[in-house]
Amino acid sequence: MKITFKTLNAVFAFILLAALTVSCSKKSEMDKFIDSLLSQMSVEEQIGQLNLHSMGFRSSAALTDDNETVKAVKTGNMGALYGFGGDPATMRKLQEYALQSPHGIPLMFGMDVIHGYQTIFPVPLAISNTWNREMVEKSARIAATEASSSGINWVFSPMVDICHDARWGRIVEGAGEDPYLGGEMAKAMVWGYQGHDDVFSDNEVLACVKHYALYGAAEAGRDYNTVNLGRQEILNNWMRPYKDAAEAGAASYMSSFNEYEGIPATANKYLLTDLLRDEFGFDGFVVSDATAVAELVNHGIGDLQEASARALQAGLDMDMNSDGFIGTLKKSLDEGRVTKADIEKACRRILEAKYKLGLFDDPFKYIDEEKVKTNIFTPENRAFARELARESQVLLKNDGVLPLSKNARIALVGPFANNASDMSGAWAMSAKASDNVTILQGVKEALGTSGKLTTAQGSKITAQPIRGGFGVGFTRNEGAGRGPAAPEKTNAQLIAEAVAAARAADVVVACVGEPNSMSGEGSSRADISIPDVQVELLKALKATGKPIVMVLTTGRPLTLTWEDENMNAILNTWSLGTESGHAIADVLFGDANPSGKLTTSFPRMVGQLPLYYNHKNTGRPHPDFEPYRKFTSCYMDVINAPLYPFGYGLSYTTFEYSPVTLSASSMPVNGKVTASVTVKNTGKYDGKEAVQLYIHDVYSTSTRPVKELRGFEKVDIKAGESKTVTFEICSDDLAYYNHDLKWVCESGDYEIMIGPNSKDTGEPVILTVQ
Ligand code: BGC
């Protein structure tokens, strides 16, 4: 038979139909099973499924009959547990208890697996700097494999909150400021955790997209704070990652702590139902953030009973740690405040998740004592962690001092030089600091025995101990003696030692920045500079006249204006996880060519915040790099431009971009064109380049940002070679939510720009939509 396009189409149509039929019949099987189960369950048992608690213990020895968790599990008052891992014996015992509950409904086991399980990857903000969808997906895949091997079947990730304000400590957990890039990263993570279909194999787990919604827009970067943005603004610039994650099939969402339009997200029907379910098509379950239901009382929307009823009716299905649902919903039902249908709807969604995971077929599917020994922290996983950590680093400045020669005399100084625990980054719950490769270790290994290396701590991290070092608690510090030394010496003494090392060296590598506890939850800062005691060290090193490479550890963009003027090179390494030291040494010595690019703008001064590249023009625009001019939109004391813009990052090689060409200069509203650019590697090193496509709607019925990212490709280009990168542009790439909140592509002219970062986008070409 001759295969024509037509016959192929028919074959595809048949396969699609068959797949749809299988998935429909699977759905109807699931519906039948759950209908029957629900009809047998008491209302108390249904409410029990809506209850999630954190585990207060890590070992099965604590699981005695009088333990409150055990009692709740046995009586069917617990739908899931979270906050532990690595101990299948505990999970097995708990699951056995769950099977003793009235209908033997298995538990789900959740955990904050944020950037790896035990093989710790770079923090999520760093990973987004790779602009590499495949690598991001693979990191989530490995995290899912490791976590599921220890019994976890539900991870509280990805965190997809857009953030414009580096004061917010949780900026470290997301993918930065851009909704398109945020959406691409969200999809990659969801697919990594869950796979690409709706069947969960035993190394695929439920993703939980958080924090829904708009948590990163907290006013003034203060954690948990109010959000004040209009609907058009959120739909265009903030909601896309949540929407993309739903379209990628994310199985669960976590409601956020903040309020929106005067209603806390956890009880906000517009967010939880009208948008998430009706607009974005999400059909899984929503869990509250920890104690968020109880916090509704503080927000002032009612007592715990009223708050719980409102949350349930708004679309929240599971209550984490508040005991609001378990404690009050039955009373609300008896009083007619909620209906049986409200409770059943939420319970159904949780049972569906358990069904999809396969727990009704095999409650012990994810619990396998053998896998703990074989699948976790493997050499392959660590090798990938190293690769990802190389690609997450962003070279912010380089006057030519980098890469370093392995023959140079190097002084490696600073409180992060030999600091294992702060390599993990915030939210690395199963990390062991003792597993982390320090920068010192990595550099020593790279140099081998012939290295001429001296080292000194150089300074404390902060002048005073950090109050409420919550983030530190999230890294199990099992590497005693592997943090900076106890501050027995004064800062002046520590500096003097580093200066002596610097004087005897050809080049200084100064490892400075923020410890893990300065970013993450509850770690907002009003001053986002490198702590003073470390800046004193940098100034003393500068006075030696030796070239200085600053290696920055941080969980957020910092104000680095002085550092940019005074350091010879700045390598931003964020927190790179287990393989930190190896990956940093790889870049310092040129064994890897840096290719990370920022996904957050770095301000010059904290007063510029909130700061983001995709801002509006205003009626009195002011060119980014020009000094103050009265009656234009600018500051008297700092220029508008960030110090380092969105999309920016240097390489050891250089890339040259050709002008952009379009396949056609106009298209109908529902048409398509391609935009191409040729990128030449004009330097001496092979390199990778994140090529970025931006658009600008010249005139539109509502105002539009000056630039918006609408595509990117990470390409490998050998020294001297060129590659043509082509982006397809369709009406969806040009569309936006208009004033009536309708998704429209308006006719008119659009500027199309392709470049290496959001600032250097070259001459725009015009695409006319007719
Ligand atoms: C955080 C969430 C986290 C949860 C459970 C909360 O405090 O906001 O991101 O998933 O705790 O640990």
Side-chain angles (χ1 to χ4, degrees), residues 399-548:
D399 68 0
V401 64
L402 285 177
L404 298 175
S405 153
K406 288 185 183 164
N407 296 320
R409 291 175 303 160
I410 299 170
L412 182 75
V413 303
F416 294 87
N418 190 23
N419 176 339
S421 42
D422 283 311
M423 298 298 109
S424 293
W427 285 108
M429 302 197 66
S430 320
K432 294 186 190 147
S434 53
D435 286 341
N436 294 344
V437 179
T438 65
I439 304 173
L440 177 62
Q441 245 176 299
V443 168
K444 267 190 184 161
E445 276 180 41
L447 290 176
T449 43
S450 61
K452 288 164 248 155
L453 179 70
T454 52
T455 187
Q457 183 182 320
S459 88
K460 301 176 190 177
I461 293 183
T462 50
Q464 302 300 328
I466 300 160
R467 275 185 293 160
F470 192 44
V472 167
F474 282 163
T475 298
R476 262 193 283 149
N477 199 348
E478 291 179 6
R482 288 169 50 89
E488 288 144 10
K489 298 177 181 167
T490 64
N491 213 50
Q493 285 168 326
L494 293 169
I495 290 176
E497 288 169 2
V499 164
R503 288 218 171 96
D506 302 316
V507 61
V508 181
V509 177
C511 305
V512 294
E514 270 191 350
N516 293 174
S517 54
M518 275 185 156
S519 61
E521 186 172 354
S523 300
S524 293
R525 294 181 70 195
D527 171 358
I528 54 166
S529 55
I530 294 176
D532 286 350
V533 279
Q534 297 181 57
V535 175
E536 279 170 34
L537 166 67
L538 293 177
K539 288 188 170 158
L541 293 171
K542 171 80 184 165
T544 65
K546 298 290 171 150
I548 306 172

Side-chain angles (χ1 to χ4, degrees), residues 82 112 156 170 173 210-211 215 254 257 289-290 320 427 521:
Y82 81 97
D112 285 286
F156 299 159
R170 303 198 77 171
E173 295 174 51
K210 65 190 193 184
H211 304 83
Y215 185 32
M254 184 183 291
F257 289 124
D289 202 339
M320 188 194 311
W427 285 108
E521 186 172 354

Side-chain angles (χ1 to χ4, degrees), residues 52 54 82-83 111-114 155-157 159 161 170 173 208 210-211 215 223-224 254-257 287-291 295 320-321 427 429 470 474 521:
L52 168 67
S54 62
Y82 81 97
M111 190 175 175
D112 285 286
V113 176
I114 308 297
V155 294
F156 299 159
S157 173
M159 190 278 217
D161 305 326
R170 303 198 77 171
E173 295 174 51
C208 183
K210 65 190 193 184
H211 304 83
Y215 185 32
D223 211 354
Y224 318 115
M254 184 183 291
S255 75
S256 55
F257 289 124
V287 61
S288 77
D289 202 339
T291 67
E295 290 170 29
M320 188 194 311
N321 274 350
W427 285 108
M429 302 197 66
F470 192 44
F474 282 163
E521 186 172 354

Side-chain angles (χ1 to χ4, degrees), residues 169-200:
R170 303 198 77 171
I171 196 169
V172 66
E173 295 174 51
E177 71 193 37
D178 182 70
Y180 172 80
L181 181 125
E184 294 301 290
M185 296 297 151
K187 288 189 279 186
M189 300 279 282
V190 169
W191 288 326
Y193 292 133
Q194 297 191 172
H196 286 257
D197 53 27
D198 55 3
V199 179
F200 285 84

Side-chain angles (χ1 to χ4, degrees), residues 276-288:
L276 184 58
R277 294 187 185 278
D278 301 347
E279 280 268 327
F280 303 165
F282 171 66
D283 68 352
F285 70 97
V286 182
V287 61
S288 77

Side-chain angles (χ1 to χ4, degrees), residues 80-129:
L81 287 163
Y82 81 97
F84 59 114
D87 181 16
T90 307
M91 290 184 212
R92 183 173 292 282
K93 207 156 175 196
L94 283 162
Q95 201 65 303
E96 280 163 2
Y97 285 133
L99 297 180
Q100 294 168 28
S101 67
H103 288 91
I105 299 173
L107 292 164
M108 288 185 296
F109 293 111
M111 190 175 175
D112 285 286
V113 176
I114 308 297
H115 49 111
Y117 178 71
Q118 192 173 331
T119 306
I120 299 298
F121 298 118
V123 288
L125 184 57
I127 291 178
S128 73
N129 287 205

